[in-house]
Amino acid sequence: MQGDATNAMQEGLRRSSRKKVLVTAQIQPTRKRQKRVVLKLAYENDHEISTAQPSKEEEIVLLKMDESESGPNNVLVPSTSPMMPVRWKEVLDGIRKMRASGDAPVDSMGCEKAGSFLPPKERRFAVLVSALLSSQTKDEVTHGAVQRLQDQGILSIEEIARATELSISQIIYPVGFYTRKASYLKKVVTLCQEKHEGDIPNTLKGLLDLPGIGPKMAHLVMNVAWENVQGICVDTHVHRISNRLGWVGLSKSSGVMQRTKTPEQTRLSLESWLPPEEWAAINPLLVGFGQTICTPLRPRCGECLLNTFCPAAFKEAESPAKPSPKK
């Protein structure tokens, strides 16, 4: 039966005129109105069916999702539309032009910069530490904490294992939830020593098994530490800007598009159409854009090169113009 279903699914894909197609989306109700969404995405190439990445079968937990947001039989479809949004390359080129100066905090203090002068193994751990500390914390604060760990000679798996949880928390303060993250770091190094031969995990699953590491961080670490791009790292900036640009969405049975509600929904929607060669670069590109121009509050639409065709342009109160430098 399962083989017949798979054959039928592939046959349906071959007949599709679209390049990328959502195959299934099933929701299994759990307690307290939580729903587990199992998404299986498949892609149609010119002549054959293939998955976009080694593991494109994913589970996502959506909390407190109203019944009205799901389609028939409680099916919520992360839209593959727009498939290749209109003018997306032009939009991306415009963002690259606005980011050319490299003056955003992420450009000098993002996780990608952690341990850049360390040997490969130590650098991988530095990237993991930076990613773990970055949750609910600005790049400047995260960068400072990682730098202090390095200056005090404990930015390694062996030294973190020797340090006390209290001393780690004092060094990384004031990162958000610093006491909890100090506890996570101690557990992380134990797992690295016991299960990964004193190195960080080299698979997405292995990283997700670490305490304090979620999908966003896991994809970032795979991209940066291992140079193995398995997906898009979606943080709050990528999530917000992708929705403002109309690049992502949830499709109801009525055909009405809704904004994605979580970074994971945004990731799946982006990956359904954005070419894989753009996956690694899209995070620092949009993060810096979100830090400088397309800010969470009062975005600088007047300075944005995309304001003539961005769906969200001038719909929020704009930040005051930056003062001109004194002559």
Side-chain angles (χ1 to χ4, degrees), residues 187-188 191 195-196 201 203-214 218:
K187 294 174 182 176
V188 162
L191 289 171
K195 296 186 176 182
H196 302 282
T203 65
L204 199 61
K205 182 182 183 305
L207 290 167
L208 289 170
D209 286 340
L210 299 178
I213 299 296

Short mmCIF file of all heavy atoms in Angstrom, two decimals, residues 187-188 191 195-196 201 203-214 218:
data_model
loop_
_atom_site.label_atom_id
_atom_site.label_comp_id
_atom_site.label_asym_id
_atom_site.label_seq_id
_atom_site.Cartn_x
_atom_site.Cartn_y
_atom_site.Cartn_z
N LYS A 187 26.24 21.23 29.71
CA LYS A 187 25.65 20.00 29.18
C LYS A 187 26.11 19.74 27.74
O LYS A 187 26.32 18.59 27.35
CB LYS A 187 24.13 20.10 29.24
CG LYS A 187 23.58 20.15 30.66
CD LYS A 187 22.07 20.41 30.67
CE LYS A 187 21.55 20.50 32.10
NZ LYS A 187 20.10 20.85 32.14
N VAL A 188 26.26 20.81 26.98
CA VAL A 188 26.70 20.67 25.59
C VAL A 188 28.09 20.05 25.52
O VAL A 188 28.33 19.12 24.74
CB VAL A 188 26.68 22.04 24.87
CG1 VAL A 188 27.52 22.01 23.60
CG2 VAL A 188 25.25 22.44 24.53
N LEU A 191 28.11 16.33 26.23
CA LEU A 191 27.65 15.54 25.09
C LEU A 191 28.70 15.50 23.98
O LEU A 191 28.88 14.47 23.33
CB LEU A 191 26.34 16.11 24.55
CG LEU A 191 25.11 15.90 25.45
CD1 LEU A 191 23.92 16.69 24.90
CD2 LEU A 191 24.75 14.42 25.52
N LYS A 195 29.83 11.84 23.01
CA LYS A 195 29.22 11.30 21.80
C LYS A 195 29.87 11.75 20.50
O LYS A 195 29.58 11.19 19.43
CB LYS A 195 27.73 11.66 21.75
CG LYS A 195 26.91 11.03 22.88
CD LYS A 195 25.42 11.33 22.69
CE LYS A 195 24.58 10.63 23.75
NZ LYS A 195 23.11 10.88 23.54
N HIS A 196 30.72 12.77 20.55
CA HIS A 196 31.25 13.33 19.30
C HIS A 196 32.77 13.50 19.32
O HIS A 196 33.30 14.36 18.62
CB HIS A 196 30.56 14.66 19.00
CG HIS A 196 29.07 14.55 18.90
ND1 HIS A 196 28.43 14.05 17.79
CD2 HIS A 196 28.08 14.85 19.81
CE1 HIS A 196 27.12 14.04 18.00
NE2 HIS A 196 26.88 14.52 19.20
N PRO A 201 28.76 18.27 17.06
CA PRO A 201 28.09 17.39 16.10
C PRO A 201 28.21 17.92 14.68
O PRO A 201 28.18 19.12 14.45
CB PRO A 201 26.63 17.40 16.57
CG PRO A 201 26.69 17.77 18.01
CD PRO A 201 27.85 18.72 18.13
N THR A 203 26.09 16.86 12.20
CA THR A 203 24.81 16.65 11.52
C THR A 203 23.76 17.56 12.14
O THR A 203 23.88 17.98 13.30
CB THR A 203 24.33 15.20 11.64
OG1 THR A 203 24.04 14.90 13.02
CG2 THR A 203 25.37 14.22 11.11
N LEU A 204 22.74 17.83 11.36
CA LEU A 204 21.65 18.67 11.86
C LEU A 204 20.97 18.02 13.05
O LEU A 204 20.69 18.68 14.05
CB LEU A 204 20.65 18.90 10.72
CG LEU A 204 19.69 20.08 10.87
CD1 LEU A 204 20.44 21.39 10.96
CD2 LEU A 204 18.71 20.12 9.69
N LYS A 205 20.73 16.72 12.96
CA LYS A 205 20.08 16.01 14.06
C LYS A 205 20.95 16.06 15.31
O LYS A 205 20.46 16.27 16.42
CB LYS A 205 19.80 14.56 13.67
CG LYS A 205 19.08 13.78 14.77
CD LYS A 205 18.87 12.34 14.38
CE LYS A 205 18.07 11.61 15.46
NZ LYS A 205 18.67 11.69 16.81
N GLY A 206 22.25 15.86 15.14
CA GLY A 206 23.14 15.90 16.28
C GLY A 206 23.13 17.25 16.98
O GLY A 206 23.15 17.33 18.22
N LEU A 207 23.10 18.31 16.21
CA LEU A 207 23.05 19.66 16.78
C LEU A 207 21.72 19.91 17.50
O LEU A 207 21.68 20.50 18.58
CB LEU A 207 23.27 20.71 15.70
CG LEU A 207 24.69 20.77 15.13
CD1 LEU A 207 24.72 21.60 13.85
CD2 LEU A 207 25.65 21.34 16.17
N LEU A 208 20.63 19.44 16.89
CA LEU A 208 19.32 19.64 17.50
C LEU A 208 19.15 18.85 18.78
O LEU A 208 18.29 19.16 19.61
CB LEU A 208 18.21 19.26 16.51
CG LEU A 208 18.04 20.23 15.33
CD1 LEU A 208 17.10 19.64 14.29
CD2 LEU A 208 17.52 21.57 15.82
N ASP A 209 19.97 17.82 18.98
CA ASP A 209 19.92 17.04 20.21
C ASP A 209 20.61 17.76 21.37
O ASP A 209 20.47 17.35 22.53
CB ASP A 209 20.59 15.68 20.01
CG ASP A 209 19.72 14.72 19.19
OD1 ASP A 209 18.50 14.97 19.11
OD2 ASP A 209 20.27 13.75 18.64
N LEU A 210 21.34 18.83 21.07
CA LEU A 210 22.04 19.57 22.12
C LEU A 210 21.07 20.51 22.84
O LEU A 210 20.22 21.13 22.20
CB LEU A 210 23.18 20.39 21.53
CG LEU A 210 24.29 19.63 20.81
CD1 LEU A 210 25.31 20.61 20.24
CD2 LEU A 210 24.96 18.63 21.74
N PRO A 211 21.18 20.63 24.16
CA PRO A 211 20.31 21.56 24.89
C PRO A 211 20.56 23.00 24.48
O PRO A 211 21.71 23.41 24.29
CB PRO A 211 20.69 21.32 26.36
CG PRO A 211 22.04 20.72 26.33
CD PRO A 211 22.12 19.92 25.06
N GLY A 212 19.49 23.75 24.30
CA GLY A 212 19.61 25.16 23.95
C GLY A 212 19.81 25.44 22.48
O GLY A 212 19.94 26.60 22.08
N ILE A 213 19.82 24.40 21.65
CA ILE A 213 20.03 24.58 20.21
C ILE A 213 18.74 24.24 19.47
O ILE A 213 18.27 23.10 19.51
CB ILE A 213 21.18 23.70 19.69
CG1 ILE A 213 22.49 24.07 20.37
CG2 ILE A 213 21.31 23.83 18.17
CD1 ILE A 213 22.98 25.47 20.08
N GLY A 214 18.17 25.25 18.78
CA GLY A 214 16.97 25.05 17.99
C GLY A 214 17.31 25.02 16.52
O GLY A 214 18.48 25.11 16.12
N ALA A 218 20.91 25.52 14.67
CA ALA A 218 21.48 24.32 14.07
C ALA A 218 21.85 24.56 12.60
O ALA A 218 22.94 24.17 12.14
CB ALA A 218 20.51 23.15 14.19
#
